[in-house]
Amino acid sequence: MSLPTIDTNHFTKFLVDLLNIASPTGFAGPAIDFVEKELSQFKQLELSRTRKGALVAKWTVENDLPPVALTAHVDTLGAVVKEIKSNGRLKLSRIGGIQWNTVETEGIWVFASKGEKIRGSVLIDTASGHVHGAAGSETKRNDEHMEVRLDARTTSEKETRALGINIGDCVSFDPRVEVTHGFIRSRFLDDKACVANIVAAIKSLTDANQSPARTVYFHISNYEEVGHGAAAGTPPEVAELVTVDMAVVGAGQASDEFNATLCIKDGGGPYHFGLNNKMRVLAEKHNIPYKTDVYIYYGSDGEAFWSAGGDVALALIGPGIDASHNYERAHMDGLNATTNWILAYLLSD
Ligand SMILES: [Zn+2]
């Protein structure tokens, strides 16, 4: 049986729109809303939110097979305002360990707690070449030396506070989305690409008038980048959980941007042998280009569920993402391979 067709134009548009919605962990509500609105057009899905704010979509199929689940996350790296400096600039506290060198000179938004959005950019505190000369490149890129310059007239803490900015306000970094020759380049393809894969698979099945082989829960999580995203929210009757998250691309890794990857082991240990083998058999049966790989500096939402006591068979698949947690890039080949793998899984019993 061949897999239903993927609407790649729709996939790309949905992904680009999602990438352009700021959603640092702790402030992912607007991205969850956007995914919920998209999924609400599929009338067979029953949508709900967990108390933590994750989105769960249930596709019920009438049979006696135990249900399965897939998860991906919309939250991203980001920051909050840690301190307002005496010169009116901001110090930040990072969310999810974004590395300062990757966002130096990046545009940002401060989401002031009273509702206003204030524009600015991230700079080192020795930014001007004409003032600091070579010292600027030697300054350590760390919490102490990186600051936000607001696009507002302020040179004091008082003036910055008068803009409505408070300690703890959320800060997002511009995604810089660009689609070129089959590549999609953007921050935070981790893990919005995989949310788009799941949505594309649901659309593809619906368009083809097909249903999954058994009841499925789709869990769109909102706290992954800090480690506990999908720890709760998957019901105990679920037998298998497939985490869909980026594959690691770079020196020493088997993954690349043109394949999907099955992760056998990451920083949290090995995944489930039986479900891994099921995923391999499905990939081979449907000629889905895939690699197997091991990720060193990596943990997943599926492991968060395991750590919280979840009793499921667990696997991790996803498209290769170059320069992850930096200026990321994916290719349509790896993205389509991932959607097809999800489709193959959904149609298998
Ligand atoms: Zn991720």
Side-chain angles (χ1 to χ4, degrees):
M1 188 180 65
S2 61
L3 298 172
T5 319
I6 305 166
D7 183 343
T8 52
N9 288 334
H10 184 272
F11 170 89
T12 306
K13 184 180 183 313
F14 174 79
L15 176 54
V16 167
D17 289 349
L18 182 58
L19 288 164
N20 279 314
I21 298 171
S23 57
T25 311
F27 196 73
I32 290 279
D33 291 345
F34 178 75
V35 179
E36 184 177 50
K37 186 161 176 276
E38 176 73 15
L39 291 182
S40 68
Q41 69 184 292
F42 305 112
K43 299 300 172 204
Q44 75 276 26
L45 299 178
E46 191 185 312
L47 303 178
S48 61
R49 300 274 187 113
T50 68
R51 294 189 189 93
K52 196 157 106 181
L55 175 67
V56 179
K58 182 183 183 190
W59 188 336
T60 302
V61 175
E62 298 298 337
N63 61 32
D64 293 335
L65 296 168
V68 296
L70 287 102
T71 187
H73 65 95
V74 287
D75 64 304
T76 72
L77 306 179
V80 297
V81 176
K82 165 67 175 58
E83 191 181 321
I84 303 171
K85 296 169 73 167
S86 58
N87 63 2
R89 298 188 176 199
L90 309 175
K91 275 195 194 176
L92 301 180
S93 172
R94 293 170 293 154
I95 295 170
I98 198 163
Q99 291 183 30
W100 283 123
N101 62 297
T102 69
V103 286
E104 186 173 356
T105 76
E106 190 57 281
I108 61 103
W109 288 104
V110 180
F111 292 86
S113 38
K114 287 187 184 127
E116 229 186 306
K117 257 171 52 167
I118 296 139
R119 191 71 175 145
S121 49
V122 180
L123 294 171
I124 188 85
D125 61 4
T126 50
S128 170
H130 296 95
V131 174
H132 301 282
S137 59
E138 282 152 24
T139 306
K140 265 216 170 311
R141 273 58 185 163
N142 60 22
D143 292 8
E144 189 57 31
H145 290 292
M146 301 305 287
E147 63 183 16
V148 167
R149 175 187 62 190
L150 296 163
D151 297 335
R153 295 185 79 134
T154 169
T155 53
S156 68
E157 180 185 348
K158 196 170 164 227
E159 286 171 305
T160 295
R161 283 194 182 275
L163 298 169
I165 292 175
N166 259 307
I167 308 302
D169 288 352
C170 176
V171 174
S172 70
F173 302 97
D174 285 0
R176 279 198 276 149
V177 189
E178 201 172 323
V179 181
T180 62
H181 310 294
F183 289 98
I184 300 182
R185 179 155 41 76
S186 176
R187 291 185 195 285
F188 317 131
L189 286 163
D190 171 15
D191 187 29
K192 290 176 172 175
C194 299
V195 173
N197 289 137
I198 287 177
V199 170
I202 293 170
K203 178 168 165 49
S204 169
L205 278 181
T206 310
D207 290 351
N209 250 322
Q210 286 182 275
S211 295
R214 41 183 164 165
T215 296
V216 190
Y217 292 87
F218 301 96
H219 183 113
I220 308 301
S221 99
N222 59 339
Y223 273 89
E224 193 275 350
E225 291 292 0
V226 292
H228 58 77
T234 296
E237 64 270 23
V238 165
E240 295 171 356
L241 173 61
V242 175
T243 309
V244 192
D245 207 335
M246 51 145 285
V248 179
V249 174
Q253 296 301 132
S255 306
D256 64 34
E257 293 161 279
F258 312 105
N259 284 265
T261 295
L262 175 72
C263 175
I264 307 298
K265 173 184 179 288
D266 66 14
Y271 286 82
H272 186 273
F273 188 78
L275 186 54
N276 283 349
N277 281 344
K278 179 176 176 179
M279 297 311 292
R280 287 182 214 241
V281 167
L282 287 171
E284 275 151 32
K285 179 178 166 195
H286 293 282
N287 291 318
I288 295 164
Y290 82 103
K291 306 268 186 180
T292 56
D293 209 351
V294 173
Y295 311 151
I296 306 300
Y297 304 108
Y298 197 108
S300 76
D301 251 347
E303 284 168 335
F305 185 61
W306 261 1
S307 298
D311 182 21
V312 287
L314 180 67
L316 168 61
I317 62 166
I321 302 288
D322 189 63
S324 52
H325 282 193
N326 200 312
Y327 193 23
E328 300 172 345
R329 193 181 70 169
H331 189 271
M332 283 309 293
D333 287 356
L335 295 166
N336 285 332
T338 304
T339 305
N340 277 325
W341 215 347
I342 294 169
L343 283 167
Y345 178 69
L346 291 173
L347 291 167
S348 70
D349 51 25

